[in-house]
């Protein structure tokens, strides 16, 4: 929300400058997003007088001016404006000044061979309006040599971010109220004199949807003369980012922006019969002021006459009933609409507006008459006219909200002790009333919440109001109490696991990515498998509607964005949760690690030749290494298929601990999924299900077991087996290592041979087996017995010792 400093001072009596206002706003919780000072844009421009104007010797449409800048000798300026003439006062941009409209930096230059020392400026070039037919003509009393910013009265504009819980600050007056409560000045009272009607309202006003529109106040003003609004009003609207349209329309926008009170003015000549607040008929259509047609349904509240819908209630008026230059009679609408209904309608129509932003947050229901009087008085002052009597239909919710509040709670919740008298003064300055015999004493109070603060529901909200005005920076920093002795670890096993795996992934050269927990439905469906998706009823975007069933879609999208921007090699990981439906439809969040390898593993080079892409074995290596860091028994893992339809069927697998417990899946991305995500090249994926890793058995200990190296040296023996060609080497390694657990500590594959000397349909696998004696060295008989156990275990897989 934007407003100018001069607009703020219409309601706040203060001498504070723009810096003090901004600092105070930030201090009381109204974040200042930016300050735009037009004086900075107009630096280098000054009031100047044209002394002479002569035709350019080499250009018919150019003139050579002699310009008095108020100091030193006159400057020569080449100008092409048709209204440039001797004796006029205008605005001269000196060399070094930057033109606001296009950012061009002025400098001394030659135009068609004639030296020019600056530029005489138009309204558009200084961003003061749209006129550009000629240069600015100033009044005769404009002081020559004066900085144009000072002469024009450049007014700083403040841009603030209003949180959804502060509808009272959606108007400049509400912000002035907060600043006054913070001690920056005195709040001026609202001057809304009652405008008496001189004739009965000629339009019947009805309410048929009391739930959506509890109250509707209206009146007619006849004999208005529409036209451009005065400069002060246009300046206010421009400061807020609004485009001035006409006096009637600008008046309604001003009341909305100044007091947070949306209103609407209908051209009475375009209405037919009674005006009714009702539900829309199913399929009814209306063309709004944004020139778009909307199809309505029966849940939406509209303002209509006998001919049809004129207004999507509380959101946007209709195009055909708006005020124009020829409008002479208007119907003013000040209504109260249900915030929830406004929010649902706006979301369903995908229609946003300044009015909707205020109605759905909640406006002051007691401001109906005051708002109508303000709007009536403003229109009559701008356009004249005669007002009718006010028609009041329905009643807005007016029951005051009373909160029982103990001032001692401010110290308990806010961490700062504030005298009850000061607390009462703060609340009353914000519009709250403290009533009852206990007022001003250290006992419970009955605090009446003003209608413009629907966000205040209980005593903690009262504490928040007191503390933010008192000053959050006035709260002393106090250390939390700490028990004596050595602090016990506070991280849970899951947190320790996350830490360990994250560090391990980074140490392996993977870069961490953080992606959305929400996905487009199509992408989520591609990775959901048999799981039913969690789909949000109120998503922040239609493209972020489904909770992710896997981390891989987000990583694929991240990789695509980087590849599209020229990255040649990507190694990304993400540690987070995937969301599944548990038993009974409950949410099931599972800790998961995702990895993506895309692009080139090794770039092309004179020593390595062509670039080498990532493959499924690279994905398996990452999976095994990270599982080991996570504490999984990698030596017991089985490599099995069925990685899922998202993976290439011939270049993927799962890592399992037993036939059912899947710890990870890895492999190359399926071409169909790659096409869906529009990602090219080789893409290897890993997904590790950290929740499936079995925990350590036995009681947890904070100390490590002491390291005791074996007293005797280990022994290695090599075995070469002939096995079926389709047998996975890992299966042979596993059974060999388990053949004699008391002596065999490791088994490693070091050769895979197929060729001469190996029968068709078989392969030769050579293993190095490490034996570790414990109490005494091995004898020949011991080694022979162990070897027999190895060959017997291998024989169960169809392996025969190669002799």
């Amino acid at each position: 929300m934007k407003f100018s400093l001069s607009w703020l001072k219409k309601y706040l009596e203060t001498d504070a400058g723009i810096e003090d206002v901004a600092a105070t706003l930030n201090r009381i919780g109204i974040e200042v997003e930016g300050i735009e000072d037009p004086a900075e844009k107009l630096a280098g421009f000054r009031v100047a007088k044209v002394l002479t104007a002569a035709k350019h010797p080499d250009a018919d449409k150019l003139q050579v001016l002699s310009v008095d800048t108020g100091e030193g000798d006159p400057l020569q300026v080449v100008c092409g404006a048709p209204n440039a003439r001797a004796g006029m006062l205008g605005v001269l941009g000196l060399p070094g000044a930057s033109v606001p409209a296009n950012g061009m930096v002025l400098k001394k230059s030659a135009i068609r061979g004639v030296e020019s020392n600056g530029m005489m400026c138009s309204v558009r070039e200084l961003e003061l309006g749209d006129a550009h037919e000629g240069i600015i003509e100033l009044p005769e009393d404009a002081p020559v040599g004066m900085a144009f910013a000072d002469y024009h009265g450049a007014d700083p504009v403040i841009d603030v971010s209003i949180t959804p819980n502060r509808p009272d600050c959606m108007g400049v007056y509400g912000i002035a109220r907060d600043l006054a409560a913070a001690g920056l000045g005195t709040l001026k009272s609202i001057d809304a004199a009652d405008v008496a009607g001189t004739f009965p309202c000629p339009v019947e006003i009805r309410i048929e949807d009391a739930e959506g529109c509890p109250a509707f106040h209206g009146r007619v003003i006849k004999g208005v003369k529409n036209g451009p609004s005065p400069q002060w009003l246009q300046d206010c609207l421009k400061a807020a980012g609004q485009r001035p349209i006409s006096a009637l329309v600008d008046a309604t926008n001003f009341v909305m922006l100044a007091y947070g009170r949306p209103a609407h003015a209908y051209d009475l000549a375009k209405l037919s019969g009674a005006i009714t607040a009702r539900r829309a008929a199913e399929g009814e259509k209306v063309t709004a002021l944004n020139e778009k047609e909307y199809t309505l349904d029966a849940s939406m509240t509209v303002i209509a006459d006998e001919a049809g819908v004129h207004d999507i209630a509380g959101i946007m008026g209709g195009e055909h009933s708006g005020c124009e230059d020829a409008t002479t009679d208007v119907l003013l609408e000040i209504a109260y609409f249900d915030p929830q209904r406004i929010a649902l309608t706006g979301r369903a129509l995908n229609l946003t507006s300044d009015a909707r932003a205020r109605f759905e947050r909640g406006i002051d229901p007691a401001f109906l008459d005051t708002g109508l009087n303000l709007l009536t008085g403003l229109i009559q002052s701008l356009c004249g006219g005669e007002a009718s009597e006010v028609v009041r239909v329905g009643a807005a919710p007016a029951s005051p909200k009373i909160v029982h509040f103990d001032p001692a709670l401010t110290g308990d919740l806010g961490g700062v002790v504030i005298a009850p008298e000061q607390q009462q003064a703060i609340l009353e300055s914000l519009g709250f009333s403290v009533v009852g015999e206990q007022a001003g004493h250290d006992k419970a109070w009955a605090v009446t919440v003003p209608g413009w603060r629907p966000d205040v529901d209980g005593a903690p909200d009262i504490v928040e109001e007191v503390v933010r005005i008192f000053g959050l920076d006035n709260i002393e920093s106090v250390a939390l109490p700490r028990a004596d002795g050595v602090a016990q670890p506070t991280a849970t096993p899951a947190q320790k696991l996350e830490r360990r795996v994250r560090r391990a992934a980074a140490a392996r050269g993977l870069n961490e990515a953080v992606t959305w927990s929400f996905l487009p439905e199509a992408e989520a469906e591609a990775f959901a498998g048999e799981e039913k998706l969690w789909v949000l009823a109120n998503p922040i975007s239609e493209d972020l509607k489904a909770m992710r069933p896997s981390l891989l879609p987000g990583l694929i999208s991240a990789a695509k964005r980087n590849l599209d921007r020229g990255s040649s090699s990507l190694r990304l990981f993400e540690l987070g949760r995937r969301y599944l439906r548990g038993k009974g439809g409950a949410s099931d969040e599972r800790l998961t690690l995702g990895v993506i390898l895309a692009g080139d593993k090794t770039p092309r080079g004179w020593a390595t030749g062509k670039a080498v892409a990532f493959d499924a074995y690279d994905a398996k290596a990452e999976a095994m290494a990270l599982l080991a860091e996570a504490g999984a028994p990698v030596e017991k893992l089985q490599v099995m298929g069925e990685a899922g339809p998202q993976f290439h069927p011939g270049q993927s697998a799962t890592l399992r601990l037993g036939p059912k417990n899947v710890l990870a899946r890895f492999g190359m991305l399926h071409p169909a999924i790659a096409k869906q995500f529009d990602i090219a090249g080789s893409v290897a994926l890993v997904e590790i299900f950290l929740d499936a890793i079995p925990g350590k058995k036995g009681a947890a200990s904070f100390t490590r077991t002491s390291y005791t190296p074996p007293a005797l040296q280990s022994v290695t023996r090599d075995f070469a087996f002939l096995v079926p060609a389709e047998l996975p080497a890992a299966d042979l390694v596993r059974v060999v290592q388990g053949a004699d657990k008391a002596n065999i500590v490791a088994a490693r594959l070091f050769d895979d041979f197929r060729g001469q000397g190996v029968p068709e349909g078989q392969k030769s696998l050579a293993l190095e087996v490490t034996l570790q004696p414990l109490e005494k060295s091995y004898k020949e008989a011991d080694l022979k017995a162990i070897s027999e156990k190895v060959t017997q275990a291998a024989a169960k897989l169809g392996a025969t010792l190669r002799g």
Side-chain angles (χ1 to χ4, degrees), residues 31-87:
E31 182 183 0
V32 176
E33 292 191 327
I35 298 175
E36 180 181 335
D37 191 350
E40 296 178 359
K41 295 196 302 181
L42 297 176
F45 296 88
R46 64 175 57 183
V47 177
K49 183 175 182 178
V50 179
L51 300 178
T52 63
K55 182 181 177 181
H56 192 289
D58 293 327
D60 293 338
K61 296 184 178 181
L62 298 179
Q63 296 186 77
V64 180
L65 311 181
S66 175
V67 182
D68 180 12
T69 62
E71 58 182 36
D73 297 331
L75 297 179
Q76 180 173 283
V77 176
V78 176
C79 180
N83 64 329
R85 63 189 184 277

Side-chain angles (χ1 to χ4, degrees), residues 193-259:
D194 187 20
V195 180
T198 59
F199 60 94
C201 181
V203 179
E204 181 184 0
I205 297 176
R206 298 195 296 245
I207 294 178
E208 294 180 1
D209 180 17
E211 181 183 353
C213 178
F216 190 143
H217 292 193
R219 80 187 319 167
V220 167
I221 303 180
K222 290 184 176 181
V224 297
K225 184 179 180 181
N226 201 9
S229 53
Q231 191 62 46
W232 70 266
L233 179 50
Q234 293 191 31
D235 290 341
C236 288
L237 296 182
K238 289 177 182 178
Q242 296 266 356
R243 179 176 62 88
I245 299 173
S246 68
L248 290 172
V249 177
D250 294 351
T252 60
N253 287 334
F254 178 82
V255 171
M256 176 183 65
L257 296 170
Y259 301 99

Side-chain angles (χ1 to χ4, degrees), residues 104 155 184 186 233 263 357 363 393 531 581 654 670 690 742 791:
M104 179 179 67
D155 196 7
L184 199 66
T186 303
L233 179 50
I363 62 172
V393 182
E531 298 284 348
R581 283 186 181 270
T654 59
H670 195 288
L690 296 174
T791 55

Side-chain angles (χ1 to χ4, degrees), residues 117-187:
N117 297 277
M119 181 176 75
M120 298 297 291
C121 301
S122 69
V123 170
R124 178 184 288 184
E125 287 164 340
L126 298 185
E127 293 187 335
L128 301 176
D130 296 327
H132 62 285
E133 294 79 11
I135 59 176
I136 298 173
E137 293 192 45
L138 299 178
E140 294 181 358
D141 59 352
V144 176
M146 185 177 189
F148 181 66
D150 296 335
Y151 174 79
H152 182 260
D155 196 7
V157 174
I158 308 171
D159 186 4
V160 296
S161 175
I162 306 299
T163 53
N165 67 316
R166 293 300 306 276
D168 58 306
C169 288
M170 295 293 284
V172 182
Y173 189 84
I175 293 175
R177 182 192 296 115
D178 264 26
L179 289 172
L184 199 66
T186 303
L187 183 68

Side-chain angles (χ1 to χ4, degrees), residues 538-770:
N538 183 22
I540 59 176
S541 167
E542 284 298 315
D543 291 335
L544 299 172
K545 196 171 184 178
M547 301 293 289
R548 64 184 180 193
S550 167
L551 272 64
L552 298 181
L555 288 172
I556 294 173
S557 297
K560 171 180 164 48
R561 284 192 295 273
N562 284 274
L563 292 172
D564 289 346
R565 286 157 178 78
S567 180
S568 60
S569 181
L570 287 171
R571 298 168 57 89
L572 303 178
F573 81 94
E574 182 172 13
L575 186 62
R577 281 154 179 78
R578 54 196 176 99
Y579 302 90
L580 309 173
R581 283 186 181 270
K583 294 182 180 180
S587 175
D588 188 6
E589 303 179 11
R590 300 187 183 181
L591 185 62
T592 308
L593 175 68
V595 176
I596 186 168
L597 310 172
D600 298 335
K601 177 175 69 173
T602 305
R604 64 180 181 175
W606 65 269
T608 57
K610 293 183 178 180
V612 178
F614 290 104
D615 57 27
Y617 291 105
D618 296 313
K620 180 184 178 183
E622 296 297 336
M624 295 293 287
L626 294 173
L627 280 169
E629 290 291 341
V634 292
E635 69 282 354
K636 299 180 181 179
L637 295 180
Q638 298 174 268
V639 180
M640 302 177 68
E642 301 177 7
Q646 304 85 13
F647 290 81
H648 194 297
Q651 302 177 36
S652 62
T654 59
L655 295 172
R656 306 191 183 203
L657 196 60
K660 294 184 178 180
N661 189 14
V662 179
L663 267 60
R665 57 178 181 165
F666 66 89
M668 305 305 293
L669 182 65
H670 195 288
I673 302 297
K675 183 177 181 181
Q676 179 180 344
F677 281 79
D678 192 25
I679 186 170
S682 299
V683 179
L685 302 171
V686 178
E687 192 164 33
I688 299 176
F689 309 121
L690 296 174
D691 61 296
I693 299 175
K696 293 182 179 180
K697 297 181 180 179
S701 175
F702 294 124
T703 60
R704 296 181 179 179
T705 56
S706 58
Y707 173 65
T708 306
L712 302 175
Q713 186 173 350
S714 61
V715 178
T716 59
R717 286 291 184 269
D718 294 345
F719 296 84
F721 293 98
L722 289 174
V723 300
E726 67 274 6
L727 179 71
D731 291 353
L732 181 63
V733 172
R734 187 171 55 256
V735 298
V736 167
Q737 187 166 345
D740 187 347
K741 295 181 179 180
N743 292 288
I744 298 176
V745 294
R748 181 177 65 87
L749 177 74
F750 69 87
D751 185 53
D752 183 335
F753 176 72
R754 312 170 199 214
Q756 187 177 0
V758 176
E760 186 72 22
Q762 291 189 317
K763 60 183 177 181
S764 172
L765 299 179
L767 279 68
E768 178 187 80
V769 179
T770 303

